[in-house]
Amino acid sequence: IVRDGVNGFLFDQTDFVRSAATTVLSLMNDYPKYLDLAAKSYHEYKERLNWTVAVNKVVDLIKSYC
């Protein structure tokens, strides 16, 4: 679901707190970078991460087996 650097960030479990805090601080200090992430996240939602898209994929799968 999360595409690293596109609609969020992925972190190693062993270093999650430091990595997440560093990333959040970086975004807080770079407003254009934050706006870019927000826009890309919204695009991912509209194109891939919503109920309409999910249901259409399921319907297409069912139709392909009929």
Side-chain angles (χ1 to χ4, degrees):
I1 292 173
V2 174
R3 292 184 177 168
D4 194 33
V6 176
N7 65 327
F9 298 95
L10 301 174
F11 304 105
D12 189 299
Q13 289 179 332
T14 60
D15 196 31
F16 173 79
V17 173
R18 185 188 64 75
S19 296
T22 300
T23 300
V24 168
L25 285 173
S26 172
L27 288 170
M28 288 175 67
N29 290 320
D30 189 345
Y31 192 63
K33 186 176 176 181
Y34 166 77
L35 288 177
D36 183 55
L37 178 66
K40 289 188 290 188
S41 296
Y42 182 70
H43 177 75
E44 286 289 293
Y45 157 73
K46 292 293 286 179
E47 298 297 320
R48 190 173 64 90
L49 300 172
N50 65 70
W51 282 109
T52 302
V53 171
V55 169
N56 287 335
K57 285 183 181 181
V58 170
V59 168
D60 290 344
L61 283 170
I62 292 169
K63 286 179 180 179
S64 72
Y65 287 102
C66 294

